[in-house]
Amino acid sequence: MSFSPLTSACSSLGVKSSSLIVQLGFHTAENNKFPGAFVSSPKRTKTKKFSIACSSTDPLLVKAARGDPVSRPPTWMMRQAGRYMAVYRKLAEKHPSFRERSETTDLIVEISLQPWEAFRPDGVIIFSDILTPLPAFGVPFDIEEVRGPVIQSPIRFEDDLKALHPIDLEKLHFVGESLKILRQEVGGHAAVLGFVGAPWTIATYIVEGGTTRTYTTIKSMCHTAPNLLRTLLSHLTKAISEYIIYQVESGAHCIQIFDSWGGQLPPDMWEQWSKPYITEIVSVVRNKCPKTPLVLYINGNGGLLERMKGTGVDVIGLDWTVDMADARKRLGSDISVQGNVDPAYLFSPLSAVTKEIQRVVKCAGPRSHILNLGHGVLVGTPEEAVAHFFDVSKSLNYDGSSQNHSMEESKLLV
């Protein structure tokens, strides 16, 4: 079977003579050494504080994030727990408040484990929200059915800063408790993922008072009240850094930083108003948790890839508008990448999903790649398509010789 279009699209990537063997026979959970794949979770035991050191027994995802040799690309999905799953919708009917679902330990754990029990991804991300820590440092918020998140007292003037205080991690105990339980539930079979919002993205909500399509208030503040905005961003940087360390010490193997609205800034503005604060977070976390991989994801990041690499993170998350081969060429082989299948592919015939996964994995090369979507799972996505995505990903197998070579002239065998 010929894949010449793939070869031509992904032939100038930076490593040589690698090959990828794709076996299209789907594996069951037992075949993938996950006994009891669709059995309910074991009884929970007493939690503990987790070590942040790494070892040869680290989950596949952690190894790929660090650039270590792996047998196949580890796979998870952003928003892999959510409304596309019937079991989640049933739970949401019983607990209609998102704040309740995302701030109650038992519900967080149950929801986070729903895709684990259904699909066995290589990463289990905690069910939470980037705004969850806001009340812990002085910014209360509500979530309304139509408007989404609403901050009744946005910060737009110097006096508004008085409401801020250092982050009180005790108010986020449900996050720490949930991560500890998730770490025990999945054992060594998957990485437990925590996440935060980047300072700029969190600031957009705090300044605008909620979601926005134009970002005019905060963008104008860059020029009309730059000192006020820098003070806010610096406070957020300190709080987010402490929150990441708390998540790692509670059991998270890996942390993803979402600068969701960083792509709304021109590149030179992102360089000034977002990058320095992310870089500071990376520095602080590196000092405390040197072995914990950090992923940076920006929606609409095609014009920012090289700048993102400059923050010092371990993994660059790519959205689906970026060509994987081009991203590899621009970023080089000394950093890992994550992504980047278009979420809309999951509404296509399963054969199309298979081909797209093969294309993305081939273009990413046989090392330092975490397979994911280029954005979160869309509402209405067929569960069977998600299951197929994970089945195909687990059937992939890197040729052992490819681990010691580069991605140039890579071949995809079926």
Side-chain angles (χ1 to χ4, degrees), residues 259-402:
D259 195 8
S260 305
W261 309 131
Q264 298 296 321
L265 287 169
D268 65 312
M269 291 283 284
W270 186 84
E271 186 90 26
Q272 181 179 358
W273 292 102
S274 186
K275 181 182 177 181
Y277 303 98
I278 297 174
T279 303
E280 175 64 17
I281 289 172
V282 173
S283 177
V284 171
V285 175
R286 281 274 184 274
N287 185 56
K288 185 71 174 179
C289 314
K291 301 300 182 181
T292 301
L294 300 175
V295 184
L296 176 58
Y297 173 83
I298 300 176
N299 189 27
N301 60 9
L304 299 171
L305 295 185
E306 294 84 358
R307 290 174 168 89
M308 291 171 69
K309 183 178 180 180
T311 62
V313 296
D314 303 278
V315 185
I316 301 297
L318 306 173
D319 77 6
W320 75 93
T321 66
V322 179
D323 180 75
M324 177 61 78
D326 181 56
R328 272 301 198 186
K329 185 176 180 180
R330 290 168 60 186
L331 290 169
S333 59
D334 59 340
I335 190 168
S336 298
V337 293
Q338 178 176 274
N340 66 337
V341 175
D342 183 350
Y345 257 98
L346 297 178
F347 292 85
S348 304
L350 298 185
S351 59
V353 176
T354 300
K355 290 179 181 179
E356 179 63 4
I357 291 171
Q358 293 171 355
R359 185 193 69 80
V360 168
V361 171
K362 176 181 171 57
C363 289
R367 200 162 181 163
S368 307
H369 176 222
I370 300 169
L371 180 61
N372 203 318
L373 301 178
H375 199 269
V377 181
L378 300 173
V379 175
T381 297
E383 288 189 53
E384 57 269 29
V386 175
H388 180 77
F389 189 100
F390 285 112
D391 282 338
V392 172
S393 72
K394 292 171 188 175
S395 74
L396 302 175
N397 183 40
Y398 293 135
D399 180 0
S401 63
S402 70

Side-chain angles (χ1 to χ4, degrees), residues 102-178:
S102 61
E103 297 179 16
T104 305
T105 301
D106 288 346
L107 295 178
I108 294 170
V109 172
E110 181 177 354
I111 294 169
S112 302
L113 290 175
Q114 285 174 348
W116 166 248
E117 293 170 348
F119 313 119
R120 281 309 199 252
D122 296 300
V124 175
I125 190 166
I126 184 173
F127 182 78
S128 187
D129 192 87
I130 61 172
L131 300 185
T132 294
L134 266 60
F137 53 80
V139 184
F141 73 97
D142 298 310
I143 294 183
E144 298 182 359
E145 188 68 28
V146 177
R147 295 176 61 191
V150 176
I151 295 172
Q152 298 293 351
S153 300
I155 293 178
R156 297 173 182 171
F157 303 99
E158 292 286 344
D159 284 348
D160 298 335
L161 292 171
K162 296 177 181 178
L164 299 177
H165 57 73
I167 190 167
D168 182 357
L169 295 172
E170 283 296 317
K171 293 183 178 179
L172 298 167
H173 63 90
F174 49 86
V175 173
E177 293 165 359
S178 298

